[in-house]
Amino acid sequence: MTASTDLAIGYSDGDVDTNNTANPTLNALIEQRYSRRDTLRSGASAAAVAVFGGGILAACDSANAGADPSPNLISVGSSGSATSGQVVTLTSNATDNGPITSAWVQTGGPAVTLIGASSPNASFIAPSVASTTTLSFQYSATDSAGQTTQGTTTAAISPAALRFTSLSKNKNDVVTVPAGYTVTVMTRLGDPIAPGVAAYKNDGTDTNFAQRIGDHGDALYWYGLSAAGARDDNNSVRGLMVQNHENLNVQYLHPAGPTNTLPRPEAEAIKEIEAHGVSVTEYVEGANRAWTYVQNSTFNRRITPNTPVVFNGPVKGTHWLFTAFSNDGTAGRGTINNCANGHTLWGTNITCEENWAGYFARPSADNATRSPRELVALRRYGVTSTNGNYGWASVVPADASNTVFKRWDARATGASATADYRNEPNQFGWCVEFDPYDKAAAPRKRTALGRLGHEGAWLGKLTPGKKVSVYLGDDSRGEYFYKFVSNANWDAADAQSANRLSIGDKYLDAGTLYVAKFAANGTGSWVPLTFGTVPNRPAQGSDIEYVFESQADILVNTRLAGDAVGATRMDRPEWTATNPATGEIYLTLTNNNAGTRPLNGTDAANPRHYNDPTGPSNSAQFGNPNGHILRLRENGDDPASLTFAWDIYLFGADSADSNSDVNISGLTAANDFSSPDGLWFSRPTNAGGLVKPLLWIQTDDGAFTDRTNNQMLVAIPGTVGDGAAVTITNRGTGGATATQTTRRGALATDATLKRFLIGPVECEITGVDSTPDGRTLFVGIQHPGENGTPASPSSAWPANQATGSAPAGTRPRSAIVAITKNDGGVVGL
Ligand code: FEO
Ligand code: CA
Ligand code: CA
Ligand code: CA
C-alpha cells in the first residue's frame, strides 16, 4: 500500500486545536496512524479531517473507490439533548466491504470520559453545566486498508434537573425507588465481616457482634480504595463503607427477646454492647454493576463500646475524665449511640455520640453522695436513669475482674473518682475521629468540640488559608446549634497526608467553640464559649448557680455554657450539610412538642406552633410536629465569621390537612414530608454536586406515618434570602392564637423537591452517601419493624426486598441499600 492521498482529506478549521479534553486530538490520532504506517513525510502533517455536521454522512474515498472503498458512513448521531448527569449515547452506522474499526473523540465542550470510544456506539455522562452547552464529537471508521471516513455530531447539555417521577406515598414493607432504578441490599445487621464468622441465622442465637455488622445502622460514608489497597478518594468501584450503629431493636437480638429481670444475663449484655459502635466494611462493584461486600477484607473493622480510645484536646488528662480504668483521664473504652458522623478532607471519619446518657445507671440515691455542682451537670445531661437503658451495670460477670459492665454504673461508690465509674458519663458525648484506613490506630475523642448529645460533625467548605469550621447539632428538644473554628488555617497539602489522625490533631484539638443565636431580622451571631467570657449559669429550680472553673469545664458541660450565654433554643438540631457550591450550611430541626415549646415559646428561627390534626393515632399533635430545615450563610463566606444570615429553607407539613400558616413552603402531595433528620449534599465530584447541588433529605418521623413510611426526598435548593419575610398565625389548644414573623426561603415546587425513596414498615431513613461518580447511592434503612415482637415481627425487610415476601416470622434487619440507575447515569438526575 502506498501513502495515498485519500488520507489527507479536507482541512482543520481549528476545532481540534481548541479541544480541552484529555482525549488525543484528531491531529494526534492521525499522526499516530501515519506513524504506524511509517509513511509520514515532512509536510504531510497537513493531513487533517473534514468536519461535517452531525448525522451527515461523509464519503471521502474518491481515489480508491471501486477497488477498496473507504467505509461508507451512513449516519452519525447522538441522543441529542440531555441534562447534566444523564447518559448520552453517540451512535454511528458505517458499512464497508470488510471489517472496520471505530474511534470516537471529543472535539469541543467540557471534557467528558467516553465509554466505548472504540465502538460504533459510545456514551458519556453529561457533565455539569450552568447553562445549555454544546459538546461535539467526531467519529472515525477505518477499514483494513487504513482508509478512514469521519463524521461529527453534537449533544446539547442543559443544567441538572430531577428527571424521575416523584413517588407516591406508601406504607409498603419494602424500599421503593422510582422507575428506572435498582435496589441492592448490602450489609445487614449481623452480617459477618471477618474470616470464619458464620452467616447470620437471624433467630436470636447469633453471637460475636464484634465481628458482625451492628444494629441500627445510621450515618454512613464511602472511603475510596485503590486496586492496590490504598486510600483513593476518587475510586467508585472499591471502597470502605463506614457506618454508625446507633442503638438496638433488642427484641430481635435474642431468641425470645431480652431477659427483662436484673441482673441482666452476661451473654445477652455482651451481644447488646457489641452491636453498638461503628463498622468499616469493604464494598466492591463487580461485573454488570453487581454490588457486594467483602467478608474477608483485611480492612474490615468494628469499633464497639469496648474498643480502646484516647482523649485529645483541652479536656484530656483533667479530673473530669478520671475513672478506675483511666486514673489519669487520658484513655477510655469505646463509643456509643453513634448517630450521625462527619468526614474530613484528610480522609478520616468523625463518629458522634448522641443519646449516651441513658445507658448509665445512676439511681436517685446517688444524689446524696454528689456535690450540688455535680448534680447541676448530671441533671442537665440527663444522667438520671435508675438502671440504664439495658441494665448492663447490673451484670455479674463470670470473671469478677471484668469491668465492661460495671463501667455503666455511674454512682459514686468508691473513695474517689479513680476508684469507680462516676466520671464514665464524662467519657461520652464527644466527637470521635478515627482513620478508616488504619484499623490499628485508636479513635481519638476530640474534646475541643464540646460534650453534647452530638448528632454529627460537619465541616464547612474548606478554603486554603482560612480556618476549618465544624458545625455541630445537639439533638434534644430545645438544645443548641454550635460551630467549632480551628486555630490553624487550612493547608491543602494536609488533605493527602499519610498521618491522617495527626492532621486531625492540628485542626480539631485547638480552636474556639461557638453557639448560635438567631435574631428575628434574619441575621445571627456565634457566641464564643471561652473561659473568662462565659458568665456563670444562674441558679434555677434546684440547680445552684454554676461557676465554670476552666475551659475543660466549659467543654465537659457545654450545655451549661450555652445556657449561660443565652443561646437560641432550637427544635432539635439533627444533621447539618454544607452546600459544596455556595458553602451555605443547612440544618434539620426535626420537630418539637408543645411541652418543650408552648404557643408563646416560638421565635423567628423556630416559628411554628400548630396541630397536625391527623397522625398515626389520630390524636392531637401540637407544637412543630413536622419540623423544618434552616440554612445560614457566614458573612463574607468566612468560616470564622461571628455573624451570619439565615432563613428557613423548607417547612415540613402534611399537605392534605395544612393551611398556609403551617404549609409555609407550599408542599404538595408529591413532596410533603415530616421530621427531616438526615441531610446530605451530593458530592462535588459529579454532576449532582456541582452548580446547583442536590440536597437529599431523610425523615425520622412519627407524626406523618399515617400517610407514608419514612422517606428520602431530593431537592435543588436556592440560596439564603431567596424567599420572603412572612407572618403566620400559630394556633394552640383551646383556640388560642399568636402571630410570629419568620423568614421563609423560596417556595418548593414539584420540580425542585421530589420524593425519591420510601422505606419499609417502621423504619427510619438515615445515612446517605454516593460513590464519587454519583452513579451508586448508598442509603441506610434503620430499625424496620421496630415495634414488632420476636414472635410477631412487624416487618420482614430486607428478606422480602427482592420478591416482596419472606417466610413467616422472618425478623427485620437494619441494612444499607445500594441504588443504581439502570442506564448508568447519576442517581437522581
Ligand atoms: Fe440519632 Fe438525632 O438522631
Ligand atoms: Ca397529618
Ligand atoms: Ca438522626
Ligand atoms: Ca431512629
Side-chain angles (χ1 to χ4, degrees):
M1 169 169 299
T2 60
S4 60
T5 55
D6 60 280
L7 284 166
I9 53 175
Y11 66 101
S12 167
D13 66 358
D15 279 4
V16 293
D17 296 327
T18 59
N19 182 358
N20 57 358
T21 73
N23 296 320
T25 65
L26 228 23
N27 282 338
L29 287 178
I30 290 165
E31 288 188 8
Q32 281 169 15
R33 206 155 50 70
Y34 267 111
S35 183
R36 269 203 311 278
R37 298 173 64 208
D38 197 27
T39 57
L40 182 63
R41 296 168 301 173
S42 177
S45 61
V49 174
V51 178
F52 297 88
I56 306 301
L57 65 82
C60 323
D61 188 44
S62 54
N64 277 1
D68 178 11
S70 290
N72 177 28
L73 202 47
I74 297 165
S75 67
V76 177
S78 76
S79 37
S81 62
T83 53
S84 297
Q86 287 197 296
V87 173
V88 178
T89 303
L90 303 173
T91 61
S92 67
N93 186 359
T95 60
D96 194 55
N97 60 341
I100 53 177
T101 60
S102 295
W104 283 96
V105 292
Q106 186 177 4
T107 54
V112 298
T113 300
L114 284 173
I115 302 158
S118 55
S119 308
N121 296 336
S123 64
F124 64 94
I125 293 180
S128 184
V129 295
S131 59
T132 300
T133 302
T134 298
L135 277 60
S136 52
F137 301 89
Q138 186 151 45
Y139 173 73
S140 303
T142 304
D143 68 12
S144 53
Q147 302 177 119
T148 294
T149 309
Q150 283 140 339
T152 64
T153 188
T154 60
I157 309 301
S158 302
L162 305 175
R163 298 286 293 250
F164 63 91
T165 301
S166 187
L167 295 177
S168 298
K169 297 185 281 286
N170 76 51
K171 295 196 274 187
N172 302 335
D173 192 30
V174 293
V175 171
T176 309
V177 293
Y181 287 88
T182 294
V183 172
T184 302
V185 176
M186 297 298 294
T187 40
R188 305 159 293 184
L189 162 69
D191 277 338
I193 60 167
V197 179
Y200 195 60
K201 294 196 287 290
N202 196 26
D203 60 3
T205 64
D206 302 276
T207 59
N208 189 17
F209 283 82
Q211 293 185 310
R212 299 183 181 279
I213 296 293
D215 204 355
H216 276 218
D218 206 303
L220 56 82
Y221 198 78
W222 166 270
Y223 289 85
L225 202 56
S226 72
R231 174 185 170 194
D232 177 1
D233 293 346
N234 293 317
N235 199 313
S236 290
V237 297
R238 184 187 186 199
L240 300 176
M241 177 54 63
V242 173
Q243 188 186 31
N244 286 339
H245 299 288
E246 185 180 30
N247 206 326
L248 312 173
N249 272 4
V250 71
Q251 70 270 43
Y252 301 125
L253 284 187
H254 309 295
T259 303
N260 285 319
T261 54
L262 302 183
R264 291 290 316 284
E266 182 175 12
E268 289 186 14
I270 290 171
K271 289 168 63 169
E272 294 163 12
I273 292 169
E274 290 180 347
H276 284 79
V278 185
S279 59
V280 179
T281 314
E282 184 177 337
Y283 278 23
V284 292
E285 185 192 309
N288 301 316
R289 306 218 64 201
W291 279 97
T292 54
Y293 85 95
V294 183
Q295 177 180 345
N296 295 344
S297 171
T298 57
F299 289 97
N300 291 352
R301 179 186 192 184
R302 277 302 312 282
I303 298 169
T304 77
N306 296 328
T307 300
V309 299
V310 297
F311 283 86
N312 276 59
V315 184
K316 176 183 180 177
T318 67
H319 68 85
W320 305 97
L321 300 178
F322 291 178
T323 69
F325 178 82
S326 181
N327 288 182
D328 64 1
T330 60
R333 283 178 285 192
T335 182
I336 204 160
N337 206 264
N338 304 84
C339 187
N341 62 9
H343 63 94
T344 67
L345 239 57
W346 51 95
T348 63
N349 188 274
I350 306 173
T351 184
C352 294
E353 300 173 336
E354 188 193 22
N355 292 308
W356 45 270
Y359 291 86
F360 292 96
R362 203 185 67 80
S364 58
D366 182 62
N367 289 348
T369 70
R370 298 302 192 102
S371 70
R373 272 176 65 79
E374 286 179 286
L375 291 175
V376 172
L378 289 164
R379 279 193 288 262
R380 186 66 178 82
Y381 283 87
V383 187
T384 54
S385 172
T386 300
N387 298 311
N389 294 347
Y390 299 106
W392 297 334
S394 72
V395 172
V396 180
D399 173 359
S401 68
N402 180 0
T403 61
V404 303
F405 309 108
K406 173 72 176 170
R407 65 186 292 215
W408 303 105
D409 178 352
R411 293 175 300 162
T413 56
S416 71
T418 55
D420 58 31
Y421 290 94
R422 73 187 68 176
N423 282 338
E424 190 77 359
N426 291 339
Q427 293 222 338
F428 293 89
W430 302 108
C431 297
V432 188
E433 187 184 17
F434 70 95
D435 184 346
Y437 299 100
D438 183 0
K439 61 201 282 189
R444 298 182 186 178
K445 296 202 172 186
R446 301 292 183 191
T447 64
L449 278 61
R451 177 169 163 267
L452 315 169
H454 270 295
E455 179 71 22
W458 290 274
L459 271 65
K461 194 173 180 179
L462 291 181
T463 305
K466 292 191 176 183
K467 308 294 187 190
V468 174
S469 57
V470 187
Y471 294 85
L472 308 158
D474 184 355
D475 180 14
S476 267
R477 294 188 185 93
E479 289 300 346
Y480 310 131
F481 185 48
Y482 298 84
K483 174 174 78 165
F484 172 82
V485 177
S486 64
N487 285 351
N489 291 324
W490 173 242
D491 177 352
D494 288 336
Q496 293 298 324
S497 168
N499 191 346
R500 290 174 279 272
L501 288 173
S502 75
I503 303 302
D505 297 347
K506 176 178 176 181
Y507 295 108
L508 301 178
D509 284 346
T512 304
L513 186 63
Y514 299 87
V515 69
K517 271 191 189 178
F518 294 86
N521 65 356
T523 67
S525 57
W526 294 109
V527 184
L529 301 179
T530 306
F531 182 63
T533 70
V534 176
N536 301 338
R537 179 182 186 260
Q540 57 187 65
S542 50
D543 289 358
I544 63 163
E545 180 179 41
Y546 193 90
V547 181
F548 295 97
E549 65 176 46
S550 63
Q551 186 62 33
D553 190 356
I554 285 173
L555 294 172
V556 171
N557 294 302
T558 306
R559 285 179 172 175
L560 296 175
D563 299 343
V565 301
T568 303
R569 304 181 74 213
M570 309 298 287
D571 287 354
R572 289 187 54 196
E574 286 263 11
W575 288 46
T576 299
T578 303
N579 184 317
T582 66
E584 292 184 352
I585 305 298
Y586 285 64
L587 166 68
T588 47
L589 296 158
T590 193
N591 55 51
N592 210 339
N593 62 23
T596 301
R597 193 162 62 59
L599 178 65
N600 63 5
T602 61
D603 56 50
N606 303 275
R608 287 188 305 176
H609 186 103
Y610 61 98
N611 182 27
D612 180 344
T614 60
S617 61
N618 260 334
S619 58
Q621 306 180 104
F622 280 94
N624 178 19
N626 302 131
H628 56 285
I629 303 174
L630 184 149
R631 63 186 168 187
L632 64 85
R633 186 162 195 152
E634 300 284 8
N635 282 351
D637 292 326
D638 180 358
S641 176
L642 299 182
T643 53
F644 56 84
W646 66 269
D647 68 7
I648 294 178
Y649 163 57
L650 275 182
F651 289 90
D654 179 345
S655 69
D657 58 16
S658 300
N659 61 31
S660 60
D661 288 321
V662 175
N663 190 4
I664 299 170
S665 296
L667 305 186
T668 69
N671 59 22
D672 52 357
F673 68 94
S674 174
S675 300
D677 185 339
L679 196 65
W680 174 76
F681 275 100
S682 290
R683 289 182 176 222
T685 45
N686 66 76
L690 293 164
V691 184
K692 293 185 80 173
L694 305 189
L695 178 65
W696 301 79
I697 303 164
Q698 303 180 312
T699 69
D700 175 16
D701 173 57
F704 196 46
T705 46
D706 55 319
R707 307 285 196 203
T708 185
N709 293 342
N710 272 296
Q711 54 173 311
M712 181 168 71
L713 306 102
V714 59
I716 301 182
T719 55
V720 171
D722 63 10
V726 293
T727 299
I728 58 173
T729 299
N730 284 318
R731 293 175 173 81
T733 52
T737 62
T739 57
Q740 173 67 58
T741 298
T742 185
R743 311 185 78 83
R744 67 151 176 81
L747 298 177
T749 70
D750 285 349
T752 60
L753 178 65
K754 290 187 177 184
R755 184 177 293 116
F756 180 81
L757 177 150
I758 300 171
V761 169
E762 293 168 11
C763 78
E764 164 185 348
I765 310 298
T766 184
V768 53
D769 192 16
S770 77
T771 49
D773 63 11
R775 295 169 69 241
T776 304
L777 188 76
F778 300 103
V779 178
I781 308 298
Q782 190 189 63
H783 63 62
E786 66 172 342
N787 299 325
T789 65
S792 184
S794 48
S795 166
W797 195 84
N800 60 358
Q801 178 68 38
T803 64
S805 65
T810 298
R811 297 180 179 202
R813 301 159 77 178
S814 296
I816 292 174
V817 293
I819 300 167
T820 50
K821 197 171 180 213
N822 297 346
D823 70 3
V826 173
V827 176
L829 297 179

